[in-house]
Amino acid sequence: MAYKSLANFDVIPCMPNLVRGQPTSLKCSPDGKKLLYGLGRTVVIRDIEPSGGMIKAQLYTQHQYEVTAAAMAPSGCYVATGDKTGKLRIWACDNPEQILKLESEMFGGAILDIAWSPDNSRVCAVGDGREVYGKVIMWDSGNSVGDVSGHTKKVNSCSFKSTRPFRICTGGEDGLVNFYEGPPFKFKVCASRHTNFVNVVRYSPNGNYFFSVSNDMMVKIYDGKEGTMLKEIKPHAGSIYGACWSADSTQIVTCSGDKSVKVFKVADGGDITEMASCSLGKTPDFMQVGCVWAGPLILSYGLGGALTMFSEDCKVVATQYGHNRPIATLAMSNGKLLSGSFEDAISPIGSIRSWDLSTGLATPFTAADGTQKGGHASMVMKIGVRSNGEIVSIGRDDSMLISSADGIYQTKTQLEAAPCDMSCGGSLVAIVTVTKELKLSSSSAIDVVVPVRFEPTCVAVSPDDTCVAVGATDRAVHVFDGRGVHKFTMIERHRDAISCVAYSPDSMLLASGCANKELVIWDAKEGSALITGLQGFHTTRIACLAWSSTGTLVSGGVDSCIFVWTKETLKEKKPYATAKLTHTGGGVNALQFITEDTFASAGADACIKLWKL
């Protein structure tokens, strides 16, 4: 059966991946206006700054395994991406269909870096091949035009000389910086040897020089044509994880685990002089793991997940925040979209972001002093907003947290048990726990604890605070009043554990979804089933539900599908519209209406998509 297809009109992309002790690869488009990186199975091409509206982003999700490298062709028309299995895909980024040009198995391990030749005809891919650490192929046919030999451990980085005669340089975990002539490309000489992992090698845009940076804190400059080392300096007190040339080939920016970003002048003959420096902070969050020079801006990515923008003299211009782990929950507060997730590059910590939907930029929730003190110590599971503006959240640290409307952590209450779910009405908050308890709160503390005989899975509070619906593994929905007194149980329809429940804005209807992929609409006051038989649409468990102010219902599933149900199509027992393959890596985790005809979805890919009915 065919339904109207939804199209997302905007995307708030995920941030790049983070692993402590490893560099994060950031690249930009040839015009320096877009940033390119990967997270999970998603490749992101996004504007660096908003221009007359939200930041625009393009997502590519056709890889079957985690994306580990990406690079855009000098023409700006194609992107080459590689995954952890050694598969290279080349696809059109200037076409909405993202047409696949080539798919090739490069070697039997993760592709860690990709470089294009300046004439757009050849692609070099290097990585953890175990026996073969890199190859050079023709981009249109996949035919080999050289191997990356001479390394004994995985190769972290490669770069093509931008002018003829073509050359390639590589750097690996064996500390070697190798130099290749071609095509066909063959090993010429070991240009230098670092005493630790080489993280980045890059040719200057004019092809005159290339550099290497390493965990040994050294920066080395080489002749671009012959591969001979010219100069070396040791400017950092920690591993250098990222580096990039300026567009005019006269400067280099580096970022380091010593929490600093530095800019160097490169003169004729390879002489290198430090011109500017910025130390970002003292905590591990400020360790810088990747950087790129994009037009007039320098971008550097920190271990705390902040993307900092600098001017050419290394002055901080702006800082952008987002998520790089699955988003579990969404909510609306004062016109801002709230999202909850976690960070774990340093130690597990919950993260809440407030999104400005006019720009696509986020503000992080913090303590009054700007730190994370008092926040959740683990993943944020659910966010709700009271009518007085207070923001309530629960986390896997077994706590309930009250935050102010402007995103300042205030009061944290331990729940003494692991929560399963939370819901917020006008002022009433309901939490169900794994210890078979329903906890109710109208303040910053738990006011009522109600033991239950069933195993709860989900909960919803009616907007008028008069009813609390609890879904359970016994396939029933149990309804309580606002004081925790049991009213009735709805049992006759579902065939598997209830997975989500949601009240309509007028508190008259209740929607419930289950692990058996069935959706039921109930009379919330009487407990009778009004609409049944909404089955056979989702192919796996229904994970989340959301109502609009006009009575439209949206359902999201682990199958990565979204279905929209209007009042009319609910009666007809068919969806109004659908969107498939919306979020990779685990499906749709959360839905939230923004206006009566637009809503947001979030999932395991750490992206937020905006949809219009």
Side-chain angles (χ1 to χ4, degrees):
M1 186 181 296
Y3 313 111
K4 178 182 176 180
S5 294
L6 287 175
N8 63 284
F9 64 90
D10 266 321
V11 175
I12 298 175
C14 55
M15 296 294 274
N17 191 30
L18 282 170
V19 179
R20 187 167 186 174
Q22 294 184 17
T24 295
S25 177
L26 300 178
K27 294 189 178 179
C28 64
S29 59
D31 61 7
K33 295 181 179 179
K34 294 184 180 295
L35 191 61
L36 176 65
Y37 55 85
L39 176 72
R41 291 166 47 198
T42 303
V43 180
V44 177
I45 305 174
R46 49 153 285 190
D47 291 344
I48 292 172
E49 293 183 292
S51 177
M54 282 191 65
I55 286 178
K56 299 300 180 183
Q58 178 183 173
L59 306 182
Y60 182 77
T61 60
Q62 300 305 306
H63 277 276
Q64 298 300 308
Y65 298 92
E66 179 185 349
V67 175
T68 50
M72 187 178 290
S75 66
C77 298
Y78 287 88
V79 172
T81 53
D83 64 28
K84 69 177 185 179
T85 68
K87 181 174 289 186
L88 180 76
R89 294 174 69 92
I90 299 177
W91 48 277
C93 60
D94 61 348
N95 188 310
E97 300 298 322
Q98 298 178 328
I99 298 170
L100 181 66
K101 178 66 177 180
L102 176 72
E103 182 175 79
S104 177
E105 296 284 351
M106 300 298 286
F107 37 77
I111 296 174
L112 300 178
D113 198 14
I114 298 169
W116 286 81
S117 64
D119 61 357
N120 303 282
S121 64
R122 300 167 180 85
V123 174
C124 176
V126 298
D128 190 9
R130 293 172 178 85
E131 293 182 0
V132 177
Y133 296 102
K135 287 184 177 180
V136 188
I137 63 170
M138 300 298 294
W139 82 283
D140 53 351
S141 65
N143 293 334
S144 176
V145 287
D147 288 330
V148 175
S149 59
H151 286 282
T152 58
K153 294 182 180 179
K154 68 181 181 181
V155 180
N156 292 326
S157 186
C158 63
S159 185
F160 248 106
K161 183 171 178 284
S162 58
T163 57
R164 293 180 183 273
F166 290 156
R167 301 286 188 265
I168 291 175
C169 60
T170 61
E173 288 197 353
D174 52 9
L176 302 181
V177 177
N178 288 345
F179 182 75
Y180 303 81
E181 291 183 344
F185 292 93
K186 296 181 180 180
F187 174 79
K188 175 65 180 297
V189 66
C190 175
S192 180
R193 183 186 296 271
H194 286 271
T195 58
N196 210 322
F197 299 166
V198 179
N199 290 320
V200 183
V201 294
R202 290 289 182 265
Y203 261 100
S204 60
N206 62 15
N208 291 343
Y209 305 102
F210 68 90
F211 67 72
S212 64
V213 298
S214 166
N215 282 6
D216 65 6
M217 302 170 279
M218 299 292 293
V219 180
K220 300 188 179 188
I221 306 295
Y222 308 83
D223 177 78
K225 184 177 180 180
E226 302 299 329
T228 54
M229 192 183 77
L230 301 176
K231 302 290 181 179
E232 62 179 8
I233 60 172
K234 189 176 183 179
H236 286 282
S239 299
I240 304 175
Y241 289 117
C244 188
W245 287 92
S246 62
D248 61 5
S249 301
T250 64
Q251 297 180 87
I252 295 172
V253 60
T254 60
C255 69
S256 170
D258 66 5
K259 312 172 190 69
S260 71
V261 175
K262 295 177 183 288
V263 174
F264 302 89
K265 177 77 172 179
V266 180
D268 291 342
D271 287 324
I272 180 168
T273 306
E274 182 175 324
M275 301 296 292
S277 177
C278 180
S279 182
L280 292 167
K282 296 181 179 180
T283 65
D285 289 18
F286 295 103
M287 296 174 69
Q288 301 299 297
V289 295
C291 64
V292 66
W293 205 309
L297 291 175
I298 296 168
L299 313 182
S300 185
Y301 193 44
L303 201 57
L307 182 67
T308 306
M309 301 183 177
F310 302 86
S311 59
E312 293 186 2
D313 58 356
C314 231
K315 303 295 184 183
V316 175
V317 175
T319 303
Q320 294 182 6
Y321 300 89
H323 295 293
N324 55 30
R325 295 294 184 265
I327 298 172
T329 178
L330 295 173
M332 285 296 295
S333 173
N334 293 328
K336 300 292 182 69
L337 181 66
L338 309 182
S339 60
S341 181
F342 67 99
E343 302 168 12
D344 63 355
I346 303 170
S347 60
I349 187 172
S351 62
I352 303 176
R353 305 286 186 245
S354 175
W355 297 92
D356 183 341
L357 295 179
S358 65
T359 62
L361 299 179
T363 302
F365 277 38
T366 64
D369 62 0
T371 68
Q372 290 294 318
K373 295 177 182 178
H376 286 290
S378 190
M379 184 182 77
V380 177
M381 298 173 61
K382 206 65 174 282
I383 299 173
V385 182
R386 285 177 166 149
S387 56
N388 64 1
E390 282 185 343
I391 297 165
V392 187
S393 59
I394 60 169
R396 291 212 182 276
D397 57 355
D398 303 347
S399 70
M400 178 181 74
L401 177 63
I402 308 295
S403 303
S404 66
D406 54 357
I408 302 299
Y409 299 140
Q410 293 183 330
T411 306
K412 190 174 183 180
T413 303
Q414 289 301 314
L415 299 173
E416 308 302 333
C420 301
D421 195 17
M422 183 201 80
S423 179
C424 184
S427 61
L428 181 64
V429 172
I431 301 169
V432 289
T433 68
V434 297
T435 53
K436 297 184 179 181
E437 290 178 326
L438 169 63
K439 298 175 183 282
L440 302 177
S441 171
S442 295
S443 61
S444 60
I446 301 300
D447 303 320
V448 178
V449 177
V450 181
V452 296
R453 296 182 179 180
F454 50 85
E455 187 176 336
T457 57
C458 53
V459 65
V461 178
S462 62
D464 61 9
D465 286 346
T466 60
C467 295
V468 178
V470 180
T473 57
D474 62 2
R475 300 175 291 177
V477 179
H478 305 266
V479 179
F480 300 78
D481 67 14
R483 296 168 297 172
V485 178
H486 186 265
K487 296 178 65 175
F488 50 80
T489 299
M490 301 182 287
I491 61 174
E492 68 262 35
R493 294 299 173 184
H494 285 287
R495 298 180 182 178
D496 207 337
I498 311 299
S499 52
C500 52
V501 284
Y503 278 99
S504 61
D506 60 7
S507 303
M508 300 304 293
L509 300 177
L510 177 71
S512 59
C514 71
N516 194 44
K517 303 156 285 187
E518 184 177 12
L519 184 64
V520 176
I521 308 300
W522 308 83
D523 183 316
K525 302 302 181 182
E526 301 296 329
S528 57
L530 298 177
I531 303 173
T532 61
L534 302 176
Q535 192 175 19
F537 302 101
H538 285 285
T539 58
T540 54
R541 173 172 56 86
I542 300 174
C544 49
L545 299 165
W547 291 89
S548 75
S549 59
T550 57
T552 297
L553 178 67
V554 181
S555 61
V558 179
D559 55 2
S560 294
C561 292
I562 295 173
F563 287 94
V564 179
W565 316 79
T566 64
K567 291 179 179 179
E568 294 75 20
T569 62
L570 278 172
K571 294 176 182 178
E572 297 169 359
K573 298 185 178 182
K574 65 179 183 181
Y576 166 73
T578 184
K580 297 184 178 180
L581 301 176
T582 56
H583 295 277
T584 61
V588 184
N589 291 342
L591 295 165
Q592 174 64 50
F593 269 91
I594 300 168
T595 65
E596 63 181 27
D597 62 351
T598 60
F599 68 93
S601 66
D605 58 1
C607 297
I608 298 173
K609 295 186 176 182
L610 306 182
W611 309 84
K612 188 173 182 64
L613 301 183

